[in-house]
Amino acid sequence: MSHVMQREQVLQRGDVLQDEQASLKAGSVSGVEVLAQSVSEIAPSAVVGAVVALVVQATGAASWVTWVVGGVVLLVVAGVLTLLTARFGSPGGLYALATRVAGPRIGYLAAWMAFVAYVGGAVAVVFQISAFATGFLNLPAIGFPYTPFTTFLVAVVGVSGGAWCSYVNAQASARTMLITESVSMLLITVLMVLVLFTHHGSIVNSQEFKGFSAHDVLLGIPLVLFAFAGFESSTAFAREAKNPKRAITTALVGSVAIASVFFVFCSYVMVLAFHGTHYDIASSDNLLATISKIVGASWYGYVVDVGVILSMFAVIIALINTSSRLLFTLAKERALTAQFARAHPTRGTPATAIGFVWALCLTGAAIVALTQSNVENAFGNMGTLSGDAQGILYLLALIAVVIWLARRRTEITHRWVQAVIVALFATGAIGYLLYKSFVPVPPSPTNVYVYVLWGILALAIVLLGLIQLRGGNQIRELGSSVVAYEPDAPGDPGPTEA
């Protein structure tokens, strides 16, 4: 009881919270730029280039149906999470919101998963851009050598540029992401339109509307979950957004909606493009370049590849933004060293945390270069670790919402019942997707990273138990960075107390 009162006193002292978060520049990011953060971390262009073929392999020609189903599920998940983002805000994102409504125990585990998801994701995307960009530069028209040193050099340029954009100020990084991802998506959309205009025969491909089952569709859903990972990253701009309550809530749903439409459209058209040709979509090493050849514009493949590289660069910025603000918040809540709570006095960005993430990314790239490991495999392995951690983070956040709803006022309203049903559906859906990701255990060497994640989660649980045995002082201030926008309104599905 005293613990709850202490947390509530911290949460209600607005002057203390304002002082703690004054180092982040409030109101500097517009609603469109907040949306750009979520869209960029999803990275629709990079997903189309890398994931669509994998979904086709798993589900067959009707892969677009899997994207529809996955998009609907993620829209429901995003809608459930807006129950929190419409009421609370913190630069710590989902971790902090889950802590605010469900307590420090779930919050502590969510913090571990958020760290693995965001920092691990940043390292993975550095591997991705180094491999893809160096491969692009190695094309005959350019002739840049593809060696461990050159991939490391490209990684240095990519992550340093992303870190600099994140460091300059939140608005600059958001605008850079908005421009780069918009250009990349536009270039790919133009290519898809060219397919529709140049395709021989009807653009209604009967193969994409028959011969699939519910089992086939579900096989590709875990990949879809990975593709949408990061849609919640706009929650990290809770302090810097001009109207965080509206901007972040819109960004969560809007980013999933935009990406869903893009994925469904591109998946359908890309399968159509390969229909009737001697090319195989499942074995193509560069889908977009191959499609450019099919439509008779091979040169456009170079243009689209540049767009995909821009998309990857936008992802690096987005992940550095999210992970640095997570570290910044944890330090403010005294869960990490106070060094991470330092922000640039004039730029209003978490400079120390940005530098730390930058250093981790460079270290990962250096290790891969020095050991002459396969960069593509390194990306796949780190991406698996990050994606699975992201899924567990979503599950913990949704469980937090269910707990939050269960603690509300005793009066049972129609809106409350609806909220509970939708929240339980979303929780069950994400739980099922995680189960399909882990059972059966993936083959070697991917299974190593699954075991690593399980080990990290087990370590977090053991440490949490030890902290609780010692009185729980180390986690008492978790969630204290959260600001409540307004008290619950009558008829609100949320609780009157956290």
Side-chain angles (χ1 to χ4, degrees):
M1 182 66 178
S2 60
H3 168 64
V4 174
M5 292 179 64
Q6 288 174 358
R7 290 190 67 247
E8 290 300 317
Q9 288 172 358
V10 173
L11 292 169
Q12 290 171 5
R13 288 203 307 268
D15 56 333
V16 175
L17 287 174
Q18 185 177 4
D19 178 68
E20 283 191 340
Q21 296 184 357
S23 52
L24 294 179
K25 190 174 292 185
S28 60
V29 183
S30 70
V32 174
E33 292 161 347
V34 172
L35 175 63
Q37 166 70 30
S38 280
V39 173
S40 296
E41 194 155 326
I42 295 174
S45 302
V47 167
V48 166
V51 181
V52 167
L54 298 177
V55 177
V56 172
Q57 290 177 18
T59 65
S63 60
W64 66 272
V65 179
T66 298
W67 289 106
V68 170
V69 174
V72 170
V73 170
L74 267 296
L75 278 172
V76 174
V77 172
V80 172
L81 294 179
T82 60
L83 291 173
L84 301 184
T85 61
R87 294 161 178 80
F88 310 109
S90 167
L94 282 190
Y95 136 73
L97 300 185
T99 307
R100 171 63 176 84
V101 300
R105 296 177 185 85
I106 282 185
Y108 181 79
L109 299 178
W112 276 77
M113 291 300 100
F115 179 83
V116 175
Y118 298 141
V119 177
V123 175
V125 176
V126 170
F127 292 153
Q128 184 186 32
I129 195 172
S130 65
F132 191 90
T134 308
F136 173 77
L137 295 173
N138 185 241
L139 292 173
I142 303 174
F144 190 73
Y146 193 111
T147 66
F149 173 75
T150 55
T151 56
F152 175 70
L153 183 63
V154 170
V156 171
V157 173
V159 72
S160 297
W164 173 255
C165 289
S166 185
Y167 165 77
V168 170
N169 62 59
Q171 186 180 52
S173 66
R175 287 183 177 178
T176 302
M177 290 185 292
L178 176 63
I179 294 171
T180 53
E181 190 60 45
S182 297
V183 169
S184 182
M185 291 177 69
L186 177 61
L187 292 173
I188 292 176
T189 300
V190 169
L191 179 60
M192 297 300 106
V193 172
L194 285 174
V195 170
L196 296 178
F197 275 102
T198 60
H199 181 70
H200 298 293
S202 173
I203 62 174
V204 179
N205 183 7
S206 60
Q207 289 186 351
E208 297 191 61
F209 290 92
K210 64 182 182 180
F212 64 90
S213 64
H215 175 72
D216 294 333
V217 171
L218 290 175
L219 286 176
I221 291 295
L223 289 169
V224 172
L225 173 64
F226 173 75
F228 280 93
F231 75 90
E232 84 296 343
S233 63
S234 56
T235 56
F237 279 156
R239 176 63 180 169
E240 293 144 297
K242 291 182 179 178
N243 185 347
K245 177 180 176 180
R246 178 178 179 180
I248 294 174
T249 298
T250 301
L252 288 183
V253 178
S255 62
V256 174
I258 291 171
S260 295
V261 171
F262 189 69
F263 292 152
V264 171
F265 173 67
C266 290
S267 179
Y268 177 85
V269 176
M270 290 171 78
V271 172
L272 176 69
F274 282 83
H275 182 64
T277 71
H278 65 279
Y279 294 102
D280 179 21
I281 188 172
S283 61
S284 176
D285 58 352
N286 189 329
L287 280 181
L288 298 175
T290 303
I291 292 174
S292 297
K293 292 179 183 178
I294 292 174
V295 301
S298 298
W299 61 271
Y300 195 70
Y302 291 92
V303 178
V304 175
D305 281 349
V306 171
V308 172
I309 293 172
L310 289 175
S311 176
M312 294 176 184
F313 182 68
V315 183
I316 291 177
I317 299 173
L319 282 164
I320 292 177
N321 280 343
T322 309
S323 55
S324 62
R325 282 158 179 78
L326 171 68
L327 297 175
F328 176 83
T329 302
L330 289 170
K332 285 291 186 183
E333 297 173 352
R334 295 172 176 80
L336 289 177
T337 174
Q339 300 295 325
F340 290 127
R342 293 181 178 178
H344 194 279
T346 57
R347 299 185 185 278
T349 54
T352 303
I354 290 172
F356 177 75
V357 176
W358 171 79
L360 279 182
C361 291
L362 285 186
T363 300
I367 291 174
V368 169
L370 291 173
T371 59
Q372 298 188 9
S373 301
N374 185 286
V375 183
E376 290 89 349
N377 289 342
F379 160 66
N381 294 332
M382 286 301 297
T384 298
L385 182 67
S386 171
D388 288 340
Q390 193 109 38
I392 295 175
L393 174 62
Y394 292 157
L395 181 63
L396 290 170
L398 290 168
I399 291 173
V401 174
V402 173
I403 293 173
W404 181 57
L405 290 170
R407 289 175 175 173
R408 69 171 300 273
R409 62 183 70 85
T410 56
E411 179 186 357
I412 306 299
T413 65
H414 181 65
R415 288 189 63 190
W416 182 84
V417 172
Q418 284 184 326
V420 170
I421 292 174
V422 174
L424 288 173
F425 169 80
T427 305
I430 293 298
Y432 173 77
L433 296 181
L434 282 172
Y435 172 80
K436 295 295 291 184
S437 297
F438 294 141
V439 180
V441 176
S444 179
T446 304
N447 61 348
V448 174
Y449 291 85
V450 172
Y451 293 137
V452 168
L453 180 61
W454 290 354
I456 293 172
L457 186 58
L459 176 62
I461 293 172
V462 170
L463 291 177
L464 176 60
L466 293 175
I467 290 172
Q468 289 295 115
L469 289 175
R470 295 178 180 178
N473 291 329
Q474 294 95 325
I475 62 173
R476 186 158 294 170
E477 293 193 37
L478 294 185
S480 60
S481 66
V482 178
V483 175
Y485 297 135
E486 60 185 37
D488 294 324
D492 219 336
T496 54
E497 295 182 2

